[in-house]
Amino acid sequence: MKSTLIPLRDPQNPALTTRPLWRLGFRPFYLLAAAFAAFAVPFWLLGYSGQLHLPTALPLPLWHAHEMIFGFIVAVITGFLFTAVRNWTGQPTPTGLPLALIALLWVLGRLALLMGSLPYAMWIDMSFLPVVAIAVARPLWLRRQRRNYFVPLLLLGLALINAWFYRRVLAISPGSRVQPLLAALGLITVLETIIAGRVVPMFTRNAIPGVRQYRLEWLERSLPLLTLLTMASFVLWPFSWTCKILALGAALGHALRWWGWGPLATWRKPILWILHGAYAWMIVGFLAMAAISPQGGSLMLPVHLLAVGATAGLIIGMMTRTARGHTGRFLETDREDVLAYVALMLATVTRILPLLLSLSRPAALILLSLSALLWSLAFVLYLIHYGPWLTRPRLDHQDG
């Protein structure tokens, strides 16, 4: 469905049409995140399959896991928060030159880890999240928005986890180098739990008048904590009965909440069903976490269900919605959007199949290649479709 354009309101205001890419944080960071996502997964697969020797500063499996979290996901979180916090508080977040410098810092971190030496890359990369946390904390503090103080604290938590990861990589502290990356995914899953609980049912009500929903206050208060405890147990004792019981409880809690949002009513509205569908992968991820065992299961199964299905699904849903709303377009989807959504959902399925089936390496590589192709297709479509919008002024010539 082609989107209808909102009529121009103030076409004579040149201040709002200069350097549009740097008017608000979602613009550069969504473009950077989509471009990096489209490149990084096929790049990793070339190295994993032995077709290319990659001079990354980290061992290739760690580079892939780290950069999907602290490169791709963190870029999207930054763009989203720079935009949302301005809406929440009415206070400015970085624009213009400060925004460009923060984006440049992110780019330098990615380039350093791709081609540089680890000590230099490490310091560049670790400096990014504290800068973002300060930029987000200032407007929240000025407006005394205590309800959202958790946001900069979570960013600082991710920064500390990133430092923990580098300590493990450099053998400064003993232990698994994967453990900090699982912890980072855990914090991101908690953030998704909070933000999705605020916006997905609201988006659904606004788009589908009369949709039947329910909200359980005790569940809304307890689910972020239960999610945090579940992810913490997965980091520390992934095969323990404690983890299994918590994961099963989290799956049931998220399923009860999700059903209360009225997901079946969204099937005709792709801009909604992508969010509901992505959240459903979170439920499946916690069920997988409860089911795996040391004898017959891979930790990477729940990891990819949460990271690809849930996180990336919510990301592409919010990236399309935010880009439309904040460039002055109606919240409708085009064919390119739907194709990107379907490609990402299929990328999730083809990514987890090698983890579920006993396949030969050639067969597994075929499925991994198909998954990488579908993943990249989703984000290339986003770049082609939304790139021109994000680099031009809003259609209504408002700021943003």
Side-chain angles (χ1 to χ4, degrees):
M1 183 187 301
K2 292 294 181 185
S3 59
T4 307
L5 305 185
I6 298 175
L8 299 181
R9 296 178 186 174
D10 186 14
Q12 304 303 321
N13 191 343
L16 301 183
T17 62
T18 57
R19 295 185 291 276
L21 181 61
W22 310 109
R23 299 301 303 178
L24 199 53
F26 78 97
R27 290 176 176 266
F29 277 104
Y30 283 7
L31 286 175
L32 289 170
F36 186 70
F39 155 78
V41 170
F43 179 79
W44 160 78
L45 186 60
L46 286 172
Y48 176 78
S49 61
Q51 299 180 51
L52 185 66
H53 174 69
L54 306 178
T56 51
L58 293 166
L60 187 60
L62 291 180
W63 178 86
H64 171 64
H66 179 275
E67 290 299 89
M68 287 296 97
I69 294 173
F70 290 100
F72 166 60
I73 295 175
V74 162
V76 177
I77 290 173
T78 301
F80 173 80
L81 289 177
F82 280 180
T83 306
V85 168
R86 193 182 78 159
N87 290 341
W88 297 344
T89 64
Q91 295 289 317
T93 51
T95 59
L97 181 60
L99 176 59
L101 292 175
I102 294 171
L104 177 62
L105 182 60
W106 180 90
V107 171
L108 292 175
R110 310 290 61 82
L111 291 175
L113 283 167
L114 187 63
M115 300 181 295
S117 64
L118 183 57
Y120 296 109
M122 174 184 70
W123 289 110
I124 296 170
D125 180 50
M126 286 197 303
S127 65
F128 179 76
L129 276 166
V131 170
V132 175
I134 293 169
V136 167
R138 183 179 181 276
L140 294 174
W141 174 257
L142 289 174
R143 286 296 185 184
R144 299 297 190 269
Q145 280 204 353
R146 294 178 176 83
R147 177 172 181 251
N148 292 316
Y149 281 175
F150 77 92
V151 172
L153 293 177
L154 186 143
L155 292 172
L156 290 175
L158 283 173
L160 291 173
I161 289 172
N162 201 21
W164 177 27
F165 167 76
Y166 284 116
R167 286 179 61 87
R168 289 283 175 89
V169 170
L170 296 173
I172 297 173
S173 61
S176 167
R177 296 175 295 178
V178 174
Q179 204 172 37
L181 300 174
L182 296 179
L185 179 61
L187 274 188
I188 289 165
T189 303
V190 173
L191 178 63
E192 292 165 2
T193 299
I194 296 169
I195 299 299
R198 291 182 182 182
V199 303
V200 176
M202 178 185 66
F203 292 162
T204 307
R205 285 193 304 273
N206 292 344
I208 309 175
V211 63
R212 298 184 64 178
Q213 293 183 325
Y214 63 79
R215 176 185 172 90
L216 303 175
E217 291 298 331
W218 63 268
L219 185 61
E220 295 301 318
R221 290 192 297 269
S222 61
L223 198 55
L225 178 59
L226 176 58
T227 303
L228 178 63
L229 292 174
T230 303
M231 295 305 300
S233 69
F234 183 60
V235 173
L236 298 173
W237 315 290
F239 299 113
S240 68
W241 279 104
T242 299
C243 182
K244 292 180 183 298
I245 292 169
L246 286 170
L248 184 58
L252 293 174
H254 281 284
L256 186 60
R257 182 199 217 190
W258 173 74
W259 190 252
W261 296 344
L264 297 185
T266 68
W267 70 276
R268 289 185 176 179
K269 292 188 175 293
I271 206 165
L272 289 177
W273 68 242
I274 182 59
L275 299 175
H276 287 264
Y279 199 86
W281 281 117
M282 190 183 299
I283 301 166
V284 178
F286 283 121
L287 288 174
M289 196 180 294
I292 59 171
S293 68
Q295 293 76 32
S298 168
L299 292 180
M300 293 301 103
L301 177 59
V303 164
H304 284 88
L305 286 165
L306 293 174
V308 181
T311 301
L314 289 169
I315 278 174
I316 202 163
M318 291 303 296
M319 283 173 66
T320 51
R321 188 182 188 95
T322 306
R324 287 180 172 275
H326 286 278
T327 58
R329 290 166 171 84
F330 286 131
L331 300 177
E332 300 172 350
T333 50
D334 297 326
R335 286 189 297 269
E336 295 89 343
D337 299 313
V338 177
L339 182 56
Y341 298 162
V342 172
L344 192 58
M345 294 296 100
L346 292 176
T348 305
V349 174
T350 50
R351 179 61 186 88
I352 65 173
L353 282 177
L355 301 171
L356 290 170
L357 306 174
S358 298
L359 300 175
S360 64
R361 181 174 172 82
L365 281 175
I366 290 173
L367 285 173
L368 288 175
S369 300
L370 179 58
S371 179
L373 178 64
L374 290 164
W375 167 280
S376 292
L377 174 64
F379 290 102
V380 167
L381 284 169
Y382 183 88
L383 286 171
I384 294 171
H385 195 33
Y386 288 87
W389 298 358
L390 296 176
T391 54
R392 295 172 185 166
R394 288 177 59 121
L395 288 180
D396 53 13
H397 283 240
Q398 295 186 29
D399 195 14

